[in-house]
Amino acid sequence: MLVLPLTFRELNTYEKLSAERLIRLAFPHITEPSCISAGAARTLLILDGLDEFKTPLDFSNTVVCTDPKKEIQVDNLITNIIRGNLLQEASVWVTSRPTAASQIPGGLVDRMTEIRGFGAAEMKEFLDQMFLDNRDLSSQVLHHIKANRSLHIMCTVPGFCWISGSSIGYYLKNSTDQSQEMTVVPKTLSEIYSYYFKMTLSSDWPEKQRETLRIEQAVNNSKKIMGSLGRLAFYSLLKRKYVFYEQDMKTYGIDLSLLQSSLCSRLLLKEEMQSSTAYYFSHLTIQEFLAAIYYYTAAKRAIFDLFTENGMSWPKLGFLNHFKSAVQRSLQAEDGQLDIFVRFLSGLLSPQVNKLLSGWLLAKDEHNSFRSQAISFLQGCLNTDYVISSRTVNTVHCLYEIQHMEIAKSVEEAMKNESLAGMLTPVNCSVLAYLLQVSNVCMEETNLSNCLTYNVCKSLLPQLLFCHNLRLDNNQFKDNVMELLGSVLSVKDCQIQKLSLAENQISNKGAKALARSLMVNRSLMVLDLRSNSIGPSGAKALADALKKNQVLLSLNLQHNVIKEDGAGFLAEALLTNHKLTTLHLQKNSIGAQGARKIAEALKRNCSLKELMLSSNSVGDNGSVALAEALKVNHSLQSLDLQSNSISSAGVAALTVALCSNKGLINLNLRENSISKEGGPAIARALRTNSTLRRLDLAANLLYDEGGKAIALAMKENRALTSLHLQWNFIQANAATALAQALKSNSSLASLDLQENAIGDEGMAALSAALKVNTTLADLHLQVASVGAAGAQALAEALMVNKSLQILDLRGNFIGVAGAKAMANALKVNRSLRRLNLQENSLGMDGAICIATALKGNHGLTYVNLQGNRIGQSGAKMISDAIRTNSPDCVVEV
């Protein structure tokens, strides 16, 4: 293959060229360029830097040319080559900044490649190379860049990373010098570039030792050329001109001999070409900053519009009028051509930048009186309507540069507190759009629940695209909003990884819109649609998407009326989908048949880890089907069957499966009808199973007989870490059996016996076990009929126990005597972290005992003494005493 590289910079020096002459420019030694036109050799023509071409390409008015020898206007030549009228057999590769790439019609582009910026590792390596002799400085610079989300994003561009790294490094090296007026790490664009230019003007360059030339002399020598370069930068920016030649320099009064100075060499790069010399600023933002400096300075004395270089215009007197003109021009430029320029212009009004550049590029306190008026004008530009564009977001960036962020702080605080409802005026919407791009609050989770309307959501779409974790719950969203969100999820640059749309008004139509986007989306891993109304047909659409989508990991369809048919559609998807790990289908009326269909899918699916089927009327028949699946499926780790009318017959089937299952870790059978007859079946499974870690049997009418059977099995079980037996009519006998098991069991860490009348006898037995047990960390005994005697037994155990961390005795009646015993234990115990003695008839005396005991206890972080008839004055006294004795402990009285 023959590769012909050419730059638009070089093509700028020609008025007319033929296709054959163009080829000779790239390869002068080619004697027969016509062979390329005829396709004798595979050829790749590279045209580099379309954004630097002096003439915009106009494909709509192209004069067709098919003669490779005919000389035509260069822009016409390029359009004919791209259209295939010339060099038909050659492939053409054009490089460009994004703003100029749109000149080429999409129909003529076979492939578009975006060059990504630095990743985290590349940015670190780049900075390490910048500061080779000082790795500590490199680490500090990287830390400051990462701390500012907006700056971090921009530093993925190598040129900007170099400028930012140099500026922050310069600040850090000089921040200990008290003579320098450096108070804060540069964060805004204007601050970063002010430090960069200050560093340049003072000849304090990263890779060179400080030059002997005095700073004052350097400044005086440089001011004139900086002014000329600024004028060149500004008017070239308006013309979209980024490459300059000797004639341009002369036009703007720039002495070519001065271009050899070290100052110019740091700002301008030079490239020798065949017929001329080209100059260009080391980075486009350097040109934009110099342009802003020129405009800022010239606006003091300019009578006419500075945007009109030649000829007359309407008079514009005063700096503020010129400032307004610049902002209005930027708002009208749809492609954002002047965005960075007006950010810099605004930033030059900030006190920090003015202080930095005073005596260097600006007069001291120059235009300081205009700052408040400029702020008011910028805010007025936001107060138009709910149409948010990248221009209005840039206006908020201007407010950040000028160091006025009061509105942004209030909106950000409202986001943190979930109190945005009613706040989203047009101004605040623009600020919110800005925050979605730059705020660290939005990085972990963007919570826009209960505050958005259709119009506001529509206006924020471009910003929502880049939110990683997006919550849009309870916004009364209907299907039309799903169409909008579907369009966002379908974009290839979409970065949304988690999306919650819970408690909206989404029907099957909205689900279908989301499903279409899932067909092409490559970022979304978690989708929460709970408490909507997608129905069976909505479930079918999502199921069809799951057959193709191999990215989504978690889908929550809780409370969506998908019924048996919906469950069947999702079961079909599970046969081919090998990525989904979590499926929530609670409260969907899928019934036994729906459970049976999912069970059949589980026999072949090996990727699903968590399945939630609570409140679905699964019954015994559905349980039997799921049990059969568990005999062959060893990948499912969590199964929720709460509130499903499962009796001892269904549990018998499940426990038989547990005897051979090697994968299930969590099983929730809460609020079923297992009864005391189901207890022995569960016990058999616990004796055999070695993988189950958490078992919830709350509210299952086990009574003492069922409880005792399970307790005996716990003597042998070495896997279970959490056991919930709440509200099972368990009494002292079963509690005593559990206590016996705890004496030898070394795996159980959490035991829940709340709302079981175990009484003082059961409490005494458990207390005896706690004296020897070393693994139980959580013990829940709310409303367990424990009195003073039980509390005294427990207190004795706490004096020797070193593992218990959470103890909940809410709703018992331990009284003053029990409180005194517990207080004595707290003086000794060092393991307990949370203690709840709410509603225990402690009275003032009992509460005082607990409060006093904390003086010697350094472990407790939370104590609840509410509902103990202490009174307001007593509550304050107790609260003050606890804060004095244990300042790190949170107390609720």
Side-chain angles (χ1 to χ4, degrees), residues 309-320:
E309 186 176 10
N310 299 310
M312 299 295 286
S313 63
W314 288 105
K316 284 192 184 297
L317 296 174
F319 173 82
L320 193 61

Side-chain angles (χ1 to χ4, degrees), residues 310-332:
N310 299 310
M312 299 295 286
S313 63
W314 288 105
K316 284 192 184 297
L317 296 174
F319 173 82
L320 193 61
N321 281 325
H322 286 288
F323 178 82
K324 289 178 179 180
S325 175
V327 174
Q328 286 166 342
R329 294 257 186 170
S330 74
L331 289 171
Q332 292 162 7

Side-chain angles (χ1 to χ4, degrees), residues 35 55 218 304 343 362 433 718:
C35 67
T55 311
F304 296 102
R343 283 198 214 177
L362 304 177
R718 292 294 178 268

Side-chain angles (χ1 to χ4, degrees), residues 60 85 234 313 322 338 384 466 528 565 603 645 694 761 797 808 888:
S60 59
N85 298 329
F234 175 66
S313 63
H322 286 288
L338 298 175
T384 51
F466 302 103
D528 187 350
D565 287 345
K603 291 178 180 178
S645 304
R694 288 174 284 278
E761 183 184 347
D808 195 335
D888 295 330

